[in-house]
Amino acid sequence: MTITYEYGKNLYVNLTNRCPNRCEFCLRTHSAGSIYAEDLWLEREPSKEEILEDIKKRDLNQYQQLVFCGYGEPTCRLQDLLWLCDQVKKFSSIDIRINTNGLSDLINGKHSAAQLDDRVDIVSISLNAPNAEKYEDVCHSEFGLEAFPAILRFAAEAGLYVPKVYMTVVDTMPQADIDECRRICEGLGAIFRVRKYIPN
Ligand code: SF4
C-alpha cells in the first residue's frame, strides 16, 4: 500500500481514493498507478496515525514540499488532513501543499478554507473549465452544477488564509476556455497555471 511517495523534489501523501467527481481525464479511471507511483489504490484508507508514521520514516529536509494529494480528493478526509498538518508542523518547517478539486465545502457541508490557516502553505485547485456547464461535462461531479460556483468560493476564501493559491487547467482545453479560466482565476486573486495533460 503506497501511503507516501516521492516525485520530483516533493513528498506526496496518498490520503484517500475517494472523490465526488468522475473526471474524464482522471488517472484513476485508466490505471492503478501514475507516472508518480506504481500502485496508488489503497486496499483500505490508512489511519491518520499510520500516515504520520509513514511520513516520519522520511527525512523531510530532503523535500521542498509535503503534498496532500491522493489518488482521490484529499479533503474527503479534511479533519485527518488538518490533524496531520498540525503534527508535521511540530517537527518540520516543510511547506505543506494540498492538491484539491476545490469541493471541500460541499464535501464537508461547511466553509472550510479558514481551517487551512497556519496549517497549509499552498493550495492548488483544479479549475478544469470556465463555467458550471462545461465543468459538469468534463468532471461529472455528484454535486452537479453546484460544483463550479463552490470551487470559485473556496478559492476566494482560501486566498484569505493560505499564502499561495494556484488554480490550474490542463493544456488540452480550447484556448478560448483557457483564456476565460485565466480571467476567472486572476479575478479571484489566485495564481493561474496551465498544466500538461498526462495521459496514462
Ligand atoms: S477531481 Fe481529481 S481525483 Fe477526482 S475524479 Fe477528478 S481528477 Fe480524479
Side-chain angles (χ1 to χ4, degrees), residues 120-152:
V120 175
D121 303 286
I122 305 158
V123 175
S124 180
I125 303 167
S126 301
L127 183 59
N128 293 331
N131 58 50
E133 289 75 18
K134 286 188 176 177
Y135 186 87
E136 180 53 17
D137 283 349
V138 174
C139 296
H140 311 292
S141 178
E142 68 180 47
F143 301 115
L145 296 177
E146 284 181 38
F148 189 77
I151 294 166
L152 302 193

Side-chain angles (χ1 to χ4, degrees), residues 16 62 84 96 102 117 120 138 151 172 174:
T16 182
Q62 288 185 6
L84 284 161
I96 296 180
D117 193 17
V120 175
V138 174
I151 294 166
T172 50

Side-chain angles (χ1 to χ4, degrees), residues 19 21-23 25-26 28 72-73 101:
C19 182
N21 285 5
R22 287 179 293 108
C23 299
F25 52 81
C26 182
R28 299 181 314 159
E73 167 51 36
N101 59 21

Side-chain angles (χ1 to χ4, degrees), residues 23-36 40-41 71 197-200:
C23 299
E24 300 204 345
F25 52 81
C26 182
L27 297 175
R28 299 181 314 159
T29 316
H30 308 295
S31 72
S34 72
I35 59 164
Y36 313 108
L40 294 175
W41 283 114
Y71 211 23
Y197 172 66
I198 303 168
N200 207 295

Side-chain angles (χ1 to χ4, degrees), residues 73-138:
E73 167 51 36
T75 63
C76 286
R77 294 187 66 183
L78 182 65
Q79 292 311 312
D80 290 343
L81 188 159
L82 299 174
W83 182 86
L84 284 161
C85 292
D86 288 340
Q87 300 308 309
V88 170
K89 295 272 182 207
K90 286 180 187 171
F91 63 87
S92 172
S93 57
I94 191 171
D95 278 346
I96 296 180
R97 184 174 103 206
I98 303 177
N99 286 356
T100 177
N101 59 21
L103 291 170
S104 178
D105 294 359
L106 296 182
I107 293 168
N108 294 290
K110 60 183 177 193
H111 289 229
S112 45
Q115 293 180 274
L116 307 181
D117 193 17
D118 274 342
R119 291 178 164 127
V120 175
D121 303 286
I122 305 158
V123 175
S124 180
I125 303 167
S126 301
L127 183 59
N128 293 331
N131 58 50
E133 289 75 18
K134 286 188 176 177
Y135 186 87
E136 180 53 17
D137 283 349
V138 174

